[in-house]
Amino acid sequence: MDEVEVVVAHSQRATLRVGNVFLKIDVDPAHAATEARAMAMAPIPTPAILWREPPVLAIAAVPGTALGVLGEPSAASPAAWAAAGAAVRRLHDAPLPPWPGRRLDDVAAELDSECAWLLANAVLPAEVIRRNREIAETALRPWKSVFIHGDLQITHVFVDGDEVTGVIDWSEAAPGDAMYDLAILTLGHEERLDDLLAGYGDDADREVIRAWWSLRSLVASRWLIEHGFDPDAPGCEFDVLRAGSRQ
């Protein structure tokens, strides 16, 4: 072991890497409990849990490299993206976890409050917020709940060549909208949606996925700003919203 690497750190959560071990520290012990239960249920590769002593969860590193990062083109092959799509399909076809997911009314209320904050603080032009709020409406419809990862960012899916080797960070896993996972995985990498769906299947609703791109970017921006992240970095949430406003 040469050093301790701080992977992420903010007021709610910190993740440290020590060699091939990740130590996840969360102020809410329910997150670690959910993560452990979800990984045990998921029918796709997940990290091995080494030990758990609240508030710390120790997991092993998964092999391979992340499918990509926000703000940079993904170097992964179309086949790797298709493999990721197939893995997400297996997850969505699995039995539901036995804990509740988010309700449609709660998602709609959060969208309202976050758009109000964005407008009040003038972090983006009002027309950009208005147009994306309009697009986001398409996602606010009843959905058939499936087992979703809940935070399926591109950095959470690891591949080796054209094979998925692991999916990490399961603390938001719950019953939910399948299109949400597909949208989060392609957020900022919209050009790879066809590759992803080649593995997932042709029954995905592209308009709902696009709506979730807007909705997720609208509701995440304040949290990112308040926790020291930059949603205006190239390829990140503000770029997604600007692109959405041009539709």
Side-chain angles (χ1 to χ4, degrees):
M1 183 185 72
D2 295 326
E3 61 181 12
V4 175
E5 176 188 357
V6 179
V7 178
V8 63
H10 50 76
S11 61
Q12 297 174 338
R13 188 177 302 173
T15 300
L16 309 177
R17 180 167 188 166
V18 186
N20 287 322
V21 177
F22 286 87
L23 302 176
K24 305 186 70 173
I25 307 160
D26 201 302
V27 297
D28 185 351
H31 287 153
T34 295
E35 185 155 11
R37 294 174 71 190
M39 288 194 293
M41 294 179 62
I44 59 178
T46 64
I49 297 176
L50 303 176
W51 51 267
R52 180 178 162 215
E53 186 67 38
V56 182
L57 175 67
I59 61 174
V62 297
T65 57
L67 198 58
V69 296
L70 274 178
E72 299 178 14
S74 169
S77 67
W81 276 88
V88 178
R89 169 63 82 174
R90 290 196 299 275
L91 176 66
H92 291 173
D93 287 344
L96 290 174
W99 56 87
R102 298 192 66 198
R103 299 184 310 136
L104 176 57
D105 288 349
D106 294 335
V107 175
E110 182 182 25
L111 178 61
D112 286 340
S113 65
E114 294 305 315
C115 285
W117 185 90
L118 293 171
L119 288 167
N121 289 272
V123 297
L124 282 167
E127 178 58 22
V128 171
I129 299 168
R130 185 204 64 78
R131 177 58 181 142
N132 280 277
R133 175 69 176 81
E134 184 179 78
I135 294 169
E137 282 289 340
T138 300
L140 300 178
R141 85 283 177 229
W143 58 71
K144 177 184 177 182
S145 288
V146 301
F147 187 170
I148 67 169
H149 178 278
D151 191 23
L152 198 62
Q153 300 178 45
I154 192 172
T155 54
H156 293 169
V157 178
F158 282 70
V159 296
D160 184 1
D162 298 337
E163 178 183 355
V164 174
T165 55
V167 178
I168 66 171
D169 285 1
W170 290 82
S171 63
E172 305 298 324
D177 182 9
M179 299 305 104
Y180 180 78
D181 269 353
L182 298 175
I184 301 310
L185 187 51
T186 52
L187 187 75
H189 291 82
E190 293 84 353
E191 75 284 353
R192 305 308 293 264
L193 180 59
D194 286 346
D195 296 333
L196 183 72
L197 297 185
Y200 184 84
D202 59 6
D203 58 340
D205 190 324
R206 291 170 182 264
E207 290 304 310
V208 173
I209 291 171
R210 292 186 182 95
W212 277 117
W213 288 337
S214 290
L215 199 157
R216 164 72 177 210
S217 297
L218 288 168
V219 303
S221 292
R222 171 164 54 157
W223 187 95
L224 292 168
I225 292 168
E226 292 180 344
H227 288 81
F229 300 98
D230 184 8
D232 202 17
C236 294
E237 285 77 7
F238 283 8
D239 275 355
V240 172
L241 294 171
R242 293 186 187 104
S245 69
R246 294 191 290 269
Q247 294 182 22

